[in-house]
Amino acid sequence: MNKVMLGENREIKIGDFEDCIIYDSDTPYVYDPPSQVYDYCCPEMINHQQGYTDMHYAPWAFGVILFALLEGKLPFHDYDMYITKEKVLHFDYQFT
């Protein structure tokens, strides 16, 4: 859970410093995630679907974080990044 932080006034903050970018809403881009963040990537991001920006991806990543908080594990995680990617693309997850 390296994406969730506690702020100075005990507010919850979500961040990702592994792949920081400066967001410009006027300039769409294609984002190819590094392997360690496939756990948080939505299928549209992995497939480079046109018309999606990072603002579309945020709700998916937030859902992954909520799942991890409730279940104590990431929904799609595997030690093999290619299996993690396939699990995301096929919505392959299980509740405990």
Side-chain angles (χ1 to χ4, degrees):
M1 294 301 302
N2 60 349
K3 312 279 187 221
V4 181
M5 301 169 279
L6 192 60
E8 191 174 289
N9 296 316
R10 303 187 69 74
E11 69 274 11
I12 295 174
K13 296 182 177 188
I14 300 171
D16 185 353
F17 301 110
E18 296 168 21
D19 53 350
C20 293
I21 60 165
I22 296 174
Y23 176 70
D24 177 5
S25 62
D26 297 328
T27 309
Y29 62 95
V30 174
Y31 179 65
D32 189 18
S35 61
Q36 70 267 26
V37 296
Y38 277 127
D39 288 309
Y40 298 90
C41 294
C42 63
E44 294 84 1
M45 177 187 283
I46 294 171
N47 289 329
H48 301 290
Q49 188 167 334
Q50 294 292 329
Y52 277 75
T53 66
D54 58 339
M55 299 305 282
H56 293 97
Y57 304 142
W60 177 277
F62 186 70
V64 169
I65 291 169
L66 287 177
F67 184 99
L69 289 171
L70 294 171
E71 285 289 310
K73 63 178 185 171
L74 292 168
F76 306 104
H77 180 72
D78 193 280
Y79 293 103
D80 182 330
M81 70 176 179
Y82 299 107
I83 294 174
T84 298
K85 182 179 177 180
E86 289 303 309
K87 284 182 173 183
V88 171
L89 291 173
H90 296 100
F91 304 106
D92 182 10
Y93 64 92
Q94 294 179 353
F95 291 100
T96 54

